[in-house]
Amino acid sequence: MDVAYWIVAALLAAFYLYAGGIKILQSQERLQPMMGWVDRVPMPVVRLIGTLEVLGAAGLVLPPLTGIAPWLAVVAATGLVLIQVGGITVHVSRGETRMIGLNIVLLVAAAAAVRLGTTWL
């Protein structure tokens, strides 16, 4: 189970570090072609989401790696589940149901990280 957790956590952390980083660093105009929803969401909210994604990525890896409060990895994975629930909600409200495939994959992976993380707590 340890190996499975680390595979899922590493993949999620890499994705969220990138996705959150671009939300934090890029302008609304640069994000628009990749993320159509940023035109209707205030940029401080987009930046907050990006920050939460980066913190979630760090939370998946650093606590179990250092042995300091490893339960935070489960909290981080739970937060990433909630981010994806929000993402799916935004896409459905915009009539973009065909675009939720990645959100569902990320939701399932984050839920798996929650489950795998609780096995070694």
Side-chain angles (χ1 to χ4, degrees):
M1 288 297 209
D2 244 8
V3 173
Y5 173 79
W6 282 110
I7 291 169
V8 172
L11 291 172
L12 281 172
F15 177 84
Y16 281 112
L17 191 60
Y18 171 76
I22 64 170
K23 288 180 187 98
I24 293 168
L25 298 173
Q26 291 191 355
S27 68
Q28 186 174 22
E29 294 77 28
R30 300 257 339 243
L31 291 172
Q32 177 64 38
M34 297 177 281
M35 302 168 207
W37 55 271
V38 299
D39 64 346
R40 297 211 174 115
V41 176
M43 277 312 286
V45 175
V46 174
R47 304 257 190 256
L48 174 64
I49 293 167
T51 301
L52 293 172
E53 289 175 344
V54 169
L55 289 173
L60 287 172
V61 176
L62 293 178
L65 192 62
T66 62
I68 300 171
W71 56 270
L72 285 174
V74 175
V75 174
T78 302
L80 295 175
V81 166
L82 295 175
I83 286 174
Q84 288 311 312
V85 168
I88 290 169
T89 303
V90 167
H91 283 303
V92 169
S93 72
R94 290 174 50 97
E96 302 169 340
T97 54
R98 68 185 194 291
M99 298 182 76
I100 63 171
L102 178 59
N103 298 93
I104 291 170
V105 168
L106 292 169
L107 174 70
V108 169
V114 170
R115 176 69 178 108
L116 292 166
T118 57
T119 60
W120 46 260
L121 280 180

mmCIF file of all heavy atoms in Angstrom, residues 103-120:
data_model
loop_
_atom_site.group_PDB
_atom_site.id
_atom_site.type_symbol
_atom_site.label_atom_id
_atom_site.label_comp_id
_atom_site.label_asym_id
_atom_site.label_seq_id
_atom_site.Cartn_x
_atom_site.Cartn_y
_atom_site.Cartn_z
ATOM 1 N N ASN A 103 -11.453 16.039 -14.608
ATOM 2 C CA ASN A 103 -11.877 16.279 -13.226
ATOM 3 C C ASN A 103 -12.249 14.974 -12.526
ATOM 4 O O ASN A 103 -11.906 14.777 -11.356
ATOM 5 C CB ASN A 103 -13.069 17.240 -13.174
ATOM 6 C CG ASN A 103 -12.745 18.597 -13.733
ATOM 7 O OD1 ASN A 103 -12.973 18.830 -14.911
ATOM 8 N ND2 ASN A 103 -12.210 19.472 -12.921
ATOM 9 N N ILE A 104 -12.924 14.108 -13.234
ATOM 10 C CA ILE A 104 -13.329 12.830 -12.643
ATOM 11 C C ILE A 104 -12.104 11.961 -12.349
ATOM 12 O O ILE A 104 -12.011 11.351 -11.279
ATOM 13 C CB ILE A 104 -14.344 12.105 -13.550
ATOM 14 C CG1 ILE A 104 -15.669 12.876 -13.556
ATOM 15 C CG2 ILE A 104 -14.556 10.663 -13.102
ATOM 16 C CD1 ILE A 104 -16.682 12.408 -14.582
ATOM 17 N N VAL A 105 -11.151 11.931 -13.273
ATOM 18 C CA VAL A 105 -9.923 11.156 -13.057
ATOM 19 C C VAL A 105 -9.181 11.693 -11.833
ATOM 20 O O VAL A 105 -8.731 10.925 -10.971
ATOM 21 C CB VAL A 105 -9.025 11.176 -14.311
ATOM 22 C CG1 VAL A 105 -7.647 10.631 -14.018
ATOM 23 C CG2 VAL A 105 -9.680 10.405 -15.447
ATOM 24 N N LEU A 106 -9.056 13.015 -11.732
ATOM 25 C CA LEU A 106 -8.368 13.620 -10.588
ATOM 26 C C LEU A 106 -9.133 13.395 -9.290
ATOM 27 O O LEU A 106 -8.528 13.174 -8.237
ATOM 28 C CB LEU A 106 -8.146 15.109 -10.835
ATOM 29 C CG LEU A 106 -7.163 15.440 -11.949
ATOM 30 C CD1 LEU A 106 -7.213 16.918 -12.291
ATOM 31 C CD2 LEU A 106 -5.754 15.015 -11.578
ATOM 32 N N LEU A 107 -10.452 13.434 -9.362
ATOM 33 C CA LEU A 107 -11.283 13.159 -8.186
ATOM 34 C C LEU A 107 -11.062 11.734 -7.692
ATOM 35 O O LEU A 107 -10.847 11.503 -6.497
ATOM 36 C CB LEU A 107 -12.753 13.387 -8.517
ATOM 37 C CG LEU A 107 -13.777 13.008 -7.456
ATOM 38 C CD1 LEU A 107 -13.714 13.966 -6.279
ATOM 39 C CD2 LEU A 107 -15.169 13.017 -8.047
ATOM 40 N N VAL A 108 -11.075 10.785 -8.598
ATOM 41 C CA VAL A 108 -10.873 9.377 -8.233
ATOM 42 C C VAL A 108 -9.457 9.171 -7.676
ATOM 43 O O VAL A 108 -9.267 8.466 -6.680
ATOM 44 C CB VAL A 108 -11.154 8.451 -9.440
ATOM 45 C CG1 VAL A 108 -10.702 7.034 -9.175
ATOM 46 C CG2 VAL A 108 -12.637 8.486 -9.790
ATOM 47 N N ALA A 109 -8.468 9.786 -8.307
ATOM 48 C CA ALA A 109 -7.083 9.645 -7.828
ATOM 49 C C ALA A 109 -6.920 10.257 -6.435
ATOM 50 O O ALA A 109 -6.264 9.661 -5.563
ATOM 51 C CB ALA A 109 -6.117 10.293 -8.811
ATOM 52 N N ALA A 110 -7.519 11.419 -6.200
ATOM 53 C CA ALA A 110 -7.423 12.040 -4.876
ATOM 54 C C ALA A 110 -8.159 11.206 -3.836
ATOM 55 O O ALA A 110 -7.687 11.045 -2.704
ATOM 56 C CB ALA A 110 -7.967 13.467 -4.920
ATOM 57 N N ALA A 111 -9.308 10.639 -4.215
ATOM 58 C CA ALA A 111 -10.037 9.759 -3.291
ATOM 59 C C ALA A 111 -9.210 8.509 -2.991
ATOM 60 O O ALA A 111 -9.197 8.020 -1.857
ATOM 61 C CB ALA A 111 -11.395 9.379 -3.884
ATOM 62 N N ALA A 112 -8.500 8.001 -3.988
ATOM 63 C CA ALA A 112 -7.621 6.849 -3.760
ATOM 64 C C ALA A 112 -6.491 7.228 -2.806
ATOM 65 O O ALA A 112 -6.114 6.429 -1.937
ATOM 66 C CB ALA A 112 -7.051 6.351 -5.086
ATOM 67 N N ALA A 113 -5.969 8.447 -2.935
ATOM 68 C CA ALA A 113 -4.921 8.905 -2.022
ATOM 69 C C ALA A 113 -5.453 9.003 -0.592
ATOM 70 O O ALA A 113 -4.748 8.663 0.358
ATOM 71 C CB ALA A 113 -4.356 10.245 -2.481
ATOM 72 N N VAL A 114 -6.703 9.443 -0.454
ATOM 73 C CA VAL A 114 -7.318 9.477 0.880
ATOM 74 C C VAL A 114 -7.380 8.066 1.446
ATOM 75 O O VAL A 114 -6.956 7.801 2.567
ATOM 76 C CB VAL A 114 -8.742 10.089 0.828
ATOM 77 C CG1 VAL A 114 -9.468 9.888 2.148
ATOM 78 C CG2 VAL A 114 -8.693 11.559 0.480
ATOM 79 N N ARG A 115 -7.875 7.130 0.651
ATOM 80 C CA ARG A 115 -8.021 5.740 1.109
ATOM 81 C C ARG A 115 -6.671 5.103 1.409
ATOM 82 O O ARG A 115 -6.492 4.475 2.457
ATOM 83 C CB ARG A 115 -8.771 4.938 0.038
ATOM 84 C CG ARG A 115 -8.900 3.482 0.336
ATOM 85 C CD ARG A 115 -9.847 3.253 1.514
ATOM 86 N NE ARG A 115 -9.990 1.826 1.753
ATOM 87 C CZ ARG A 115 -9.443 1.224 2.797
ATOM 88 N NH1 ARG A 115 -8.764 1.892 3.690
ATOM 89 N NH2 ARG A 115 -9.613 -0.078 2.955
ATOM 90 N N LEU A 116 -5.724 5.265 0.505
ATOM 91 C CA LEU A 116 -4.399 4.685 0.712
ATOM 92 C C LEU A 116 -3.679 5.342 1.888
ATOM 93 O O LEU A 116 -2.957 4.671 2.630
ATOM 94 C CB LEU A 116 -3.557 4.812 -0.558
ATOM 95 C CG LEU A 116 -4.010 3.973 -1.745
ATOM 96 C CD1 LEU A 116 -3.314 4.433 -3.023
ATOM 97 C CD2 LEU A 116 -3.781 2.498 -1.478
ATOM 98 N N GLY A 117 -3.892 6.634 2.055
ATOM 99 C CA GLY A 117 -3.256 7.339 3.166
ATOM 100 C C GLY A 117 -3.794 6.931 4.520
ATOM 101 O O GLY A 117 -3.057 6.922 5.508
ATOM 102 N N THR A 118 -5.058 6.559 4.574
ATOM 103 C CA THR A 118 -5.626 6.155 5.870
ATOM 104 C C THR A 118 -5.161 4.763 6.289
ATOM 105 O O THR A 118 -5.266 4.417 7.451
ATOM 106 C CB THR A 118 -7.167 6.191 5.838
ATOM 107 O OG1 THR A 118 -7.636 5.345 4.790
ATOM 108 C CG2 THR A 118 -7.688 7.594 5.659
ATOM 109 N N THR A 119 -4.623 3.986 5.372
ATOM 110 C CA THR A 119 -4.179 2.636 5.729
ATOM 111 C C THR A 119 -2.899 2.643 6.556
ATOM 112 O O THR A 119 -2.653 1.713 7.295
ATOM 113 C CB THR A 119 -3.956 1.748 4.474
ATOM 114 O OG1 THR A 119 -2.951 2.350 3.664
ATOM 115 C CG2 THR A 119 -5.239 1.592 3.690
ATOM 116 N N TRP A 120 -2.079 3.690 6.446
ATOM 117 C CA TRP A 120 -0.837 3.710 7.206
ATOM 118 C C TRP A 120 -0.833 4.723 8.325
ATOM 119 O O TRP A 120 0.179 4.961 8.951
ATOM 120 C CB TRP A 120 0.388 3.884 6.319
ATOM 121 C CG TRP A 120 0.313 4.932 5.275
ATOM 122 C CD1 TRP A 120 0.045 4.730 3.957
ATOM 123 C CD2 TRP A 120 0.514 6.343 5.411
ATOM 124 N NE1 TRP A 120 0.068 5.930 3.283
ATOM 125 C CE2 TRP A 120 0.353 6.924 4.152
ATOM 126 C CE3 TRP A 120 0.810 7.170 6.488
ATOM 127 C CZ2 TRP A 120 0.466 8.284 3.930
ATOM 128 C CZ3 TRP A 120 0.931 8.526 6.250
ATOM 129 C CH2 TRP A 120 0.764 9.064 5.001
#
